Amino acid sequence: MKLALGFFVLIATLATIAHASDPSPLQDFCVAINDSKAAVFVNGKICKNPNMVVAEDFFFSGLNKPGNTSNPLGSKVTPVNVNQLPGLNTLGISLARIDYAPYGLNPPHTHPRATEILVVLHGTLYVGFVTSNPADPNLKNILFTKYLYPGDVFVFPEGLIHFQFNVGHENAVAFAGLSSQNPGVITIANAVFGSDPPINKDVLIKAFQVDRKVIDYLQAQFWMNNN
């Protein structure tokens, strides 16, 4: 029942944000093909010949299965975007299942191309997002937070840093709808301290106003992506 409720809320909401970020389609569908070896690159994915499209191109199975949260973050994101479901190409939507172990965290991150709407199916989550830099330099970025329970919905505006933290003693599950076929993810800590090649230490020392040893320590950590 809870799973059905979650999907109902998610699908109803996706219908209202489907064209919020990606361009509108110019035909009924444009099923993506594997273009990794293509000589021409496009903004999105190359279309499959419509005469070769089958029902499987619009189908994905497996979101009923919990993700493996046995990692340092205690969370796992299972995305369903155009890379997993080629029929999403040009449709401007995608979704994800997020599993959280007790005290598991989906760490601060952004989706550069999508607004996200989250519905909790099980557990208790502490969620929030931070606004962009205010025009007045004397003001600070604002943090908006909320505790979410089963059936609760929260929206994270496009491009803003946000997070979800399981504050309960049991596993938690949430589903997210995103207003892009390929929303992208930038995990803040990973990008800043785990890039390849690494960001120059002097840049990070100046930016964070900390000792070199702190930067050395942070860059030496193993920064993982959970999606």
Side-chain angles (χ1 to χ4, degrees):
M1 181 64 181
K2 290 181 179 179
L3 189 63
L5 173 64
F7 273 116
F8 176 78
V9 173
L10 187 62
I11 296 303
T13 308
L14 280 174
T16 66
I17 64 173
H19 303 297
S21 182
D22 293 354
S24 299
L26 300 177
Q27 60 279 317
D28 286 348
F29 51 78
C30 173
V31 173
I33 62 173
N34 184 356
D35 56 3
S36 59
K37 297 181 180 179
V40 177
F41 295 93
V42 298
N43 184 23
K45 297 282 187 178
I46 298 172
C47 297
K48 185 177 184 178
N49 185 335
N51 296 324
M52 299 178 65
V53 170
V54 295
E56 293 297 314
D57 292 324
F58 303 96
F59 175 77
F60 179 91
S61 179
L63 283 188
N64 60 317
K65 300 176 182 178
N68 184 4
T69 59
S70 298
N71 57 65
L73 294 173
S75 69
K76 175 63 178 178
V77 177
T78 304
V80 184
N81 55 49
V82 70
N83 296 307
Q84 292 80 33
L85 183 54
L88 287 175
N89 193 37
T90 75
L91 299 184
I93 58 172
S94 59
L95 73 158
R97 170 178 175 144
I98 309 103
D99 290 275
Y100 313 82
Y103 305 108
L105 172 70
N106 190 9
H109 63 281
T110 74
H111 300 293
R113 294 179 290 277
T115 291
E116 175 182 346
I117 187 162
L118 185 87
V119 56
V120 177
L121 269 66
H122 182 76
T124 304
L125 298 180
Y126 172 69
V127 307
F129 68 87
V130 182
T131 60
S132 57
N133 295 354
D136 185 345
N138 296 312
L139 299 178
K140 293 185 177 182
N141 305 68
I142 300 172
L143 171 65
F144 292 94
T145 63
K146 192 76 176 176
Y147 286 93
L148 302 184
Y149 305 92
D152 288 348
V153 176
F154 197 82
V155 65
F156 305 104
E158 180 174 339
L160 298 187
I161 296 173
H162 59 282
F163 61 87
Q164 302 112 31
F165 180 55
N166 181 7
V167 295
H169 300 286
E170 57 184 4
N171 293 336
V173 181
F175 280 82
L178 300 111
S179 61
S180 172
Q181 68 178 43
N182 184 26
V185 183
I186 302 172
T187 306
I188 306 306
N190 302 36
V192 174
F193 300 111
S195 66
D196 183 19
I199 297 176
N200 185 294
K201 286 181 172 60
D202 291 330
V203 172
L204 298 178
I205 291 169
K206 191 75 170 181
F208 289 95
Q209 296 291 292
V210 296
D211 186 83
R212 179 175 291 270
K213 292 181 179 179
V214 175
I215 300 301
D216 289 339
Y217 172 79
L218 291 171
Q219 287 189 325
Q221 303 308 300
F222 173 71
W223 297 103
M224 63 162 289
N225 290 311
N226 67 338
N227 62 308

